Amino acid sequence: MSVARSSLAWVATGPRQFEMRRYPVLDPAGDGAVIKVEACGICGTDVHIYMGQTSGKSPFPLILGHEVAGTITAVGKNFGGVDSVGAPVGEGDRIFVAPGVSCGFCYKCSVLEVPTRCLNKKAYGFTPNPDQWPHLTGGYAEYMHVFIPHSLFFKTTVPAEVATLIEPYSIALHGLDKAQIQPGDTVAVQGSGAIGLLTLVGAKKCGASKVIVLGAPEGRLKLAKQLGADLVVDITRVPLPERVEMVRKETPAGLGADVVLECAGQPAAVAEGLELLRDGGRFVELGNFTDNGETSLNPFRHMVSKNNAIYGVWGALPKHLVRALWLIEQDPATYRTIVSHTVPLAQVGEIFEALSEQYSFNGQDVIKAVVVPTSD
């Protein structure tokens, strides 16, 4: 296939600052590949980075975007011809590219067996200095370079905007693994954004008898009901003490949920989630993926006296990506309902500004927004 010699890219240059830049599309070396980006999901982490709400050294400038689906336009001379599950793949095929690239041999990868915390980890959409080779390492661009080995990528035939959900769904499935949901469990999901809704769908598939979603706004909660939520609670209309009682009334003996998964990404939600939990229950935190500040907890009331288990989730393992791919391919139309907006590169800054202050864009509640770099 022919490959463009340059690519337009949306580059975050500082807090609430960006530029449209053009970079060369280099021929793939070795076993690498070049993809024409068809769609790239907008993650809350992208918004936090753009707004300067991250701890540590500033990552600017960089090409954001780590939920990437695109068509292979060129491969290196040593390209293996199969994806990460052994499916034949080559030029013209659509693939989803997993964002994280772990080394596989550092202490965390090989001994602790937590590759999501790899000491040498790299990630598409988080690599600074796009003016340096290889330039195109994020999904908010017309083209992106994929570097193999260690990159996970999967051939798929589902629409590109639906394929972008594989990454957030893998996060949800990682959280559900930690939650150890049993058939008959009552599950509370805090947050009704894309991660929360995917967690809802996954919890039902794990055998939960009842799933309660707490979130806002109304459009997201309406979709939660369509996706199988047994009860939705609007946090903008129901005060905190009443929310806790509403959830407890839906549980055996009124003791609280067996499992609570925090997907809202708000520190204050953690204490509320622990209040929703029954004694001996499981609490999983997967929403606060960036440093959003501190929150107050009572160790005795929230943890010790409840005799509960508390888990944190960072990223996803390869098995979660494979499961997400398989589940989405079984019913892509249902998952397509989660994608509420598609926007061109030129509107990325505009939608980031909107999402930093509210849940709506162009007069419609945002559930999941996806960047479509090219219109052809």
Side-chain angles (χ1 to χ4, degrees):
M1 297 181 65
S2 61
V3 181
R5 305 320 301 171
S6 67
S7 170
L8 193 64
W10 187 95
V11 183
T13 56
R16 306 181 78 163
Q17 300 175 26
F18 69 92
E19 295 178 1
M20 301 298 290
R21 297 181 182 176
R22 189 165 288 278
Y23 292 105
V25 180
L26 306 176
D27 291 333
D31 52 7
V34 172
I35 64 169
K36 182 177 183 180
V37 179
E38 296 178 276
C40 182
I42 292 178
C43 174
T45 302
D46 297 325
V47 179
H48 287 303
I49 292 174
Y50 171 72
M51 300 302 294
Q53 300 166 343
T54 55
S55 60
K57 185 178 179 180
S58 171
F60 303 112
L62 79 165
I63 302 172
L64 290 166
H66 57 275
E67 302 172 355
V68 187
T71 301
I72 297 175
T73 59
V75 298
K77 63 181 180 180
N78 297 324
F79 184 76
V82 295
D83 71 0
S84 297
V85 293
V89 64
E91 293 183 6
D93 287 327
R94 176 175 296 145
I95 62 171
F96 170 81
V97 182
V101 184
S102 302
C103 72
F105 56 80
C106 72
Y107 183 72
K108 289 188 177 182
C109 285
S110 61
V111 178
L112 300 182
E113 298 181 339
V114 284
T116 62
R117 300 295 294 159
C118 171
L119 294 170
N120 305 305
K121 189 171 185 176
K122 299 179 180 179
Y124 299 103
F126 297 98
T127 302
N129 301 320
D131 289 341
Q132 299 178 4
W133 184 92
H135 307 299
L136 299 165
T137 57
Y140 297 166
E142 294 173 318
Y143 287 82
M144 191 177 86
H145 288 102
V146 180
F147 297 93
I148 306 163
H150 303 308
S151 292
L152 296 173
F153 66 100
F154 306 94
K155 179 180 177 180
T156 184
T157 57
V158 302
E161 67 270 20
V162 180
T164 64
L165 296 175
I166 294 171
E167 194 276 340
Y169 204 4
S170 73
I171 305 296
L173 294 176
H174 192 182
L176 292 166
D177 256 7
K178 293 284 185 74
Q180 303 172 48
I181 292 175
Q182 303 296 315
D185 276 350
T186 298
V187 175
V189 176
Q190 295 175 278
S192 52
I195 293 285
L197 294 173
L198 291 166
T199 300
L200 152 68
V201 175
K204 283 287 188 177
K205 291 184 179 298
C206 287
S209 65
K210 184 177 293 185
V211 180
I212 303 165
V213 175
L214 301 93
E218 184 178 354
R220 290 182 173 186
L221 296 177
K222 181 178 179 180
L223 180 57
K225 288 291 290 184
Q226 294 174 6
L227 292 172
D230 299 280
L231 174 69
V232 297
V233 180
D234 190 333
I235 62 174
T236 65
R237 298 182 179 181
V238 183
L240 174 55
E242 293 181 27
R243 299 200 292 264
V244 174
E245 287 306 309
M246 285 181 68
V247 171
R248 288 179 178 172
K249 286 179 181 179
E250 297 293 323
T251 66
L255 296 177
D258 300 291
V259 173
V260 176
L261 298 111
E262 196 290 299
C263 306
Q266 298 297 323
V270 176
E272 178 179 346
L274 291 168
E275 294 282 1
L276 301 173
L277 194 66
R278 67 163 172 82
D279 289 2
R282 287 95 65 197
F283 177 86
V284 184
E285 169 57 51
L286 58 148
N288 283 282
F289 201 77
T290 55
D291 188 346
N292 293 326
E294 309 295 326
T295 190
S296 296
L297 296 174
N298 183 309
F300 171 75
R301 190 175 81 250
H302 289 132
M303 292 178 276
V304 176
S305 68
K306 285 200 168 221
N307 197 39
N308 56 21
I310 300 175
Y311 301 95
V313 168
W314 182 271
L317 298 173
K319 64 180 179 180
H320 302 124
L321 289 158
V322 173
R323 291 173 186 170
L325 171 68
W326 184 85
L327 288 167
I328 288 173
E329 288 187 334
Q330 303 311 300
D331 186 13
T334 292
Y335 292 97
R336 178 61 181 83
T337 63
I338 295 174
V339 178
S340 58
H341 292 70
T342 57
V343 298
L345 282 175
Q347 285 191 298
V348 171
E350 185 180 346
I351 195 169
F352 274 13
E353 291 289 344
L355 292 175
S356 70
E357 299 178 357
Q358 56 191 353
Y359 292 114
S360 66
F361 184 68
N362 289 341
Q364 180 184 356
D365 288 343
V366 177
I367 299 167
K368 183 65 174 182
V370 173
V371 177
V372 180
T374 56
S375 60
D376 56 324

